[in-house]
Amino acid sequence: MRCLWFKLLLSLLLVVGTSVVWAEETSDDTALPEIKDSEKTLKLRGGDEEGTSYDWYLFAGDMFSFPRLDNASKQIDRQINRTFRMIAPHFKDVKTFADQRDTLMIQTPFLGLVRVLNDNLDVFVQAGYTAGSVRTRAENWSLLILPLHTDVKFERSNFFIGLGSHWHPWGSAELKAYDSWGERFRGSKIFFAGSVNYNYLTFDADVRAGLGPFGKPLRIQQSDIWRLWNVSTLVGVDVPYNERTMFCFNVNYNTFLDHGADFSGFASSIYLKWFF
């Protein structure tokens, strides 16, 4: 009987010892199955394992505009450049906003708020404002044997506000932690968008001129205001950065419903998207 109890006690100790060793081995982190990267990914919608999702995002950036300015350039050449060359043949063309356009100086900071509807579609409201000026001061000998002094200044401004939508035919770029820029670029996604915008544009011209020692007694001022609508269509690319942020680049064409010969044209934007 004592031998039987001893054998039972020994067997019980072996079972308990084996259980303890197995528990210690399985409690080791290295023995647990790996959590897949896809399970850690924070997607645009659907979220992580805890249900995090982003239904909104803000965007802010800068737009480089290339308006046609056809009629404006012809009017300035006809009324200013040719007129002054009749008095001073060596008078050079004044600087205009076409010169600013050609040197990437017509820039419009903008911002917007976006509501994400699903992985392929969202709607947004946006607004932007820009202002600038160009000035040309010159002195040229005139046909009257006196120097012609000129001072020509143009000022412009544009405020716009509009509604639009982004369409992601291949889905939105994933929001997650990335290890390299190569991985980010491989995760980029192309999208398309359209918007309708209301524009409040202003233009002011101040032209002063005079001969010799008589200062600039000639002064002509002109101001214009336009309230115009335009339609913008674009193609862009989202480059994801981390769990909440993307960089965006796009090229668009702005079609103005009136005065299109001056204000319609291509534009390009670079901006940041922040999801919440």
Side-chain angles (χ1 to χ4, degrees), residues 19-32:
S19 301
V20 171
V21 172
W22 179 83
E24 290 178 351
E25 290 178 350
T26 56
S27 64
D28 188 355
D29 291 338
T30 59
L32 293 176

Side-chain angles (χ1 to χ4, degrees), residues 62-100:
D62 203 13
M63 177 171 60
F64 299 85
S65 299
F66 303 89
R68 293 169 57 185
L69 298 175
D70 292 342
N71 292 337
S73 298
K74 292 176 181 178
Q75 182 179 358
I76 291 173
D77 186 60
R78 181 177 65 253
Q79 296 181 354
I80 297 177
N81 296 328
R82 296 181 186 179
T83 300
F84 284 148
R85 263 197 291 272
M86 292 176 60
I87 303 171
H90 297 289
F91 180 84
K92 295 182 179 180
D93 292 350
V94 297
K95 295 178 181 178
T96 67
F97 295 123
D99 297 301
Q100 281 195 337

Side-chain angles (χ1 to χ4, degrees), residues 200-263:
Y200 181 86
L201 303 104
T202 67
F203 172 80
D204 295 285
D206 188 356
V207 182
R208 303 184 184 190
L211 291 170
F214 305 108
K216 301 183 184 71
L218 175 63
R219 184 177 187 182
I220 300 174
Q221 293 178 296
Q222 179 180 337
S223 297
D224 290 298
I225 296 176
W226 299 273
R227 299 172 177 85
L228 305 174
W229 291 88
N230 83 285
V231 176
S232 178
T233 55
L234 64 85
V235 57
V237 58
D238 281 329
V239 181
Y241 181 70
N242 57 25
E243 294 90 341
R244 287 184 179 269
T245 310
M246 291 184 189
F247 292 103
C248 181
F249 309 88
N250 71 44
V251 176
N252 68 292
Y253 191 85
N254 295 312
T255 302
F256 278 77
L257 305 184
D258 196 7
H259 295 277
D262 283 323
F263 300 121

Side-chain angles (χ1 to χ4, degrees), residues 35-229:
I35 298 176
K36 296 180 180 180
D37 290 339
S38 60
E39 296 175 356
K40 298 179 181 179
T41 299
L42 293 175
K43 297 185 182 297
L44 183 61
R45 291 180 60 82
D48 60 3
E49 64 274 12
E50 297 180 356
T52 303
S53 64
Y54 301 126
D55 293 328
W56 299 86
Y57 67 85
L58 294 170
F59 63 82
D62 203 13
M63 177 171 60
F64 299 85
S65 299
F66 303 89
R68 293 169 57 185
L69 298 175
D70 292 342
N71 292 337
S73 298
K74 292 176 181 178
Q75 182 179 358
I76 291 173
D77 186 60
R78 181 177 65 253
Q79 296 181 354
I80 297 177
N81 296 328
R82 296 181 186 179
T83 300
F84 284 148
R85 263 197 291 272
M86 292 176 60
I87 303 171
H90 297 289
F91 180 84
K92 295 182 179 180
D93 292 350
V94 297
K95 295 178 181 178
T96 67
F97 295 123
D99 297 301
Q100 281 195 337
R101 173 200 62 196
D102 296 340
T103 54
L104 304 180
M105 293 300 292
I106 299 183
Q107 303 177 27
T108 306
F110 62 90
L111 54 86
L113 175 65
V114 183
R115 177 67 165 93
V116 179
L117 302 179
N118 53 52
D119 198 45
N120 299 98
L121 192 67
D122 63 46
V123 292
F124 64 86
V125 58
Q126 64 178 356
Y129 177 78
T130 182
S133 64
V134 289
R135 189 172 188 176
T136 306
R137 293 175 175 174
E139 182 177 308
N140 302 93
W141 286 102
S142 71
L143 297 176
L144 302 175
I145 319 300
L146 291 173
L148 172 66
H149 305 284
T150 55
D151 185 355
V152 181
K153 184 178 182 180
F154 302 124
E155 295 180 313
R156 62 169 177 85
S157 72
N158 180 26
F159 168 78
F160 77 88
I161 185 169
L163 298 172
S165 177
H166 297 109
W167 176 49
H168 303 262
W170 298 281
S172 301
E174 284 189 327
L175 293 166
K176 66 177 184 178
Y178 289 87
D179 296 327
S180 67
W181 279 105
E183 186 180 358
R184 292 183 177 97
F185 285 122
R186 287 192 295 272
S188 301
K189 292 291 184 69
I190 293 175
F191 67 90
F192 302 90
S195 65
V196 177
N197 307 280
Y198 171 79
N199 298 263
Y200 181 86
L201 303 104
T202 67
F203 172 80
D204 295 285
D206 188 356
V207 182
R208 303 184 184 190
L211 291 170
F214 305 108
K216 301 183 184 71
L218 175 63
R219 184 177 187 182
I220 300 174
Q221 293 178 296
Q222 179 180 337
S223 297
D224 290 298
I225 296 176
W226 299 273
R227 299 172 177 85
L228 305 174
W229 291 88

